[in-house]
């Protein structure tokens, strides 16, 4: 995967951190590069997640949640056991080290995806952590949309579409639906298919809300296998999560691969879904 200078510095920080901790690093493979870098370190077989040091608190929260969920038997990726599970700060980056799992080829079956999400939600209910409400996430996306300095390339009509969708559907989430701790973004990119079954990663987005909000990130067939999911609420959550993801693609600081093209594509999908 081609990477820019910032990502290259992030990889160097990961290698230096792992080497200083006594792990053997001979070569690296960048698996994902956006606002955070995910890199496989070999031959020690460790996964390093590297974020700007300003995101240190989020990285520390992710390590804490992963450790607690692993204690419940929840299906999550876990910190590397050969080093202390914490955030390591180096060269302006926050580095966390995780156990690497060799991916299993093939698409994850909807029933297996749903079962893993049910078990994750059960584990989250056993974890005592202060979590933001899902409407806080909606509010952050709305603030981005309303701030022209942060999203200068977003046209007026598209800005209105995103603002109204986030406001109307976000407000509807607080009325009547049962709530519990959630992953926050359990989309396929955050689910590893491994020899030990599906494992969820990227836990810093955990929040509270209806399970349908989590289900909305999964492929549509998964919802039919999740017990007692409300199809109407799930449909609204699918539109809401699309609006949130679309909003972030217009952030000047966004480094998601091909983000602007996706932002345009998702605006079209949002217009079709809302009839705006």
């Amino acid at each position: 995967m081609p990477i820019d200078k910032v990502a290259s510095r992030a990889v160097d920080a990961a290698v230096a951190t792992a080497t200083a901790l006594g792990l053997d690093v001979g070569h690296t493979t960048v698996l994902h590069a956006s606002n955070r870098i995910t890199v496989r370190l070999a031959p020690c077989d460790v996964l390093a997640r590297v974020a700007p040091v300003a995101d240190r608190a989020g990285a520390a929260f992710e390590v804490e949640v992963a450790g607690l969920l692993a204690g419940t038997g929840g299906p999550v990726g876990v910190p590397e056991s050969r080093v202390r599970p914490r955030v390591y700060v180096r060269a302006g980056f926050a580095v966390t080290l995780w156990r690497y799992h060799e991916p299993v080829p093939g698409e994850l079956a909807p029933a297996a995806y749903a079962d893993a999400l049910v078990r994750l939600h059960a584990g989250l209910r056993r974890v005592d952590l202060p979590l933001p409400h899902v409407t806080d996430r909606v509010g952050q996306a709305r603030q981005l949309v309303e701030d022209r300095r942060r999203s200068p390339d977003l046209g007026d009509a598209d800005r209105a579409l995103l603002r109204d969708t986030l406001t109307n559907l976000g407000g509807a989430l607080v009325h009547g639906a049962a709530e519990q701790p959630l992953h926050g973004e359990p989309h396929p990119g955050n689910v590893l298919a491994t020899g030990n079954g599906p494992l969820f990663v990227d836990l810093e987005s955990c929040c509270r809300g209806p399970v349908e909000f989590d289900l909305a990130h999964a492929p549509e067939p998964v919802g039919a296998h999740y017990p007692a999911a409300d199809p109407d609420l799930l449909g609204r959550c699918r539109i809401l999560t699309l609006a949130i993801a679309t909003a972030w693609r217009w952030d000047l600081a966004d480094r998601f691969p091909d983000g602007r093209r996706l932002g345009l594509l998702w605006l079209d999908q949002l217009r079709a879904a809302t009839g705006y």
Side-chain angles (χ1 to χ4, degrees):
M1 174 185 294
I3 58 174
D4 59 21
K5 291 182 179 179
V6 174
S8 180
R9 288 176 44 235
V11 172
D12 290 344
V15 172
T17 298
T19 301
L21 292 168
L23 298 172
D24 185 11
V25 183
H27 63 274
T28 63
T29 304
V30 174
L31 304 180
H32 182 72
S34 59
N35 297 68
R36 292 201 299 177
I37 307 300
T38 303
V39 55
R40 179 186 181 185
L41 309 177
C44 63
D45 253 359
V46 168
L47 196 72
R49 292 168 63 81
V50 190
V53 73
D55 296 337
R56 179 180 181 177
F61 176 75
E62 180 179 25
V63 171
E64 181 182 11
V65 174
L68 291 172
L69 282 173
T72 71
V76 294
V78 296
E80 170 55 46
S81 60
R82 286 171 286 178
V83 300
R84 182 181 171 192
R86 50 162 287 192
V87 177
Y88 297 88
V89 175
R90 184 176 291 268
F93 294 98
V95 182
T96 54
L97 302 175
W98 303 81
R99 184 182 304 170
Y100 175 77
H101 294 273
E102 190 69 34
V104 174
E107 189 172 324
L108 186 60
Y113 202 131
D115 176 70
L117 196 54
V118 167
R119 291 186 288 116
L120 178 69
H121 286 158
L124 282 163
R125 288 193 295 272
R126 296 172 57 189
V127 171
D128 184 18
L129 276 175
L131 296 174
H133 195 270
V134 65
T135 51
D136 294 342
R137 300 264 306 280
V138 177
Q140 292 167 359
R142 191 170 61 238
Q143 288 174 6
L144 169 65
V145 168
E146 293 174 347
D147 189 342
R148 293 178 181 271
R149 294 170 300 177
R150 295 177 61 195
S151 53
D153 297 332
L154 188 59
D156 288 344
D158 295 331
R159 194 179 301 274
L161 164 64
L162 286 171
R163 182 190 62 238
D164 292 350
T165 303
L166 291 166
T167 300
N168 296 336
L169 291 181
L173 278 185
V174 299
H175 300 296
E179 297 181 354
Q180 75 140 71
L182 305 174
H183 178 288
E185 292 184 356
H187 55 69
N190 284 336
V191 186
L192 306 179
T194 77
N196 295 322
L199 299 177
F200 291 91
V201 297
D202 202 0
L203 299 164
E204 69 173 288
S205 57
C206 285
C207 56
R208 290 193 63 86
V211 295
E212 287 81 3
F213 184 82
D214 264 2
L215 271 175
H217 290 82
E220 287 197 23
V222 174
H225 296 274
Y226 194 100
D230 181 335
D232 292 334
L233 179 57
L234 177 55
R236 295 196 299 272
C237 284
R238 288 197 186 282
I239 298 174
L240 179 60
T241 55
L242 177 61
I244 294 172
T246 304
W248 290 114
R249 300 292 74 81
W250 295 92
D251 185 356
L252 274 180
D254 184 53
R255 300 179 70 242
F256 196 86
D258 208 13
R260 188 51 51 88
R261 184 191 67 82
L262 289 173
L264 291 168
L265 173 65
W266 293 345
L267 280 170
D268 286 342
Q269 293 177 358
L270 199 57
R271 276 189 289 268
T274 61
Y276 193 88

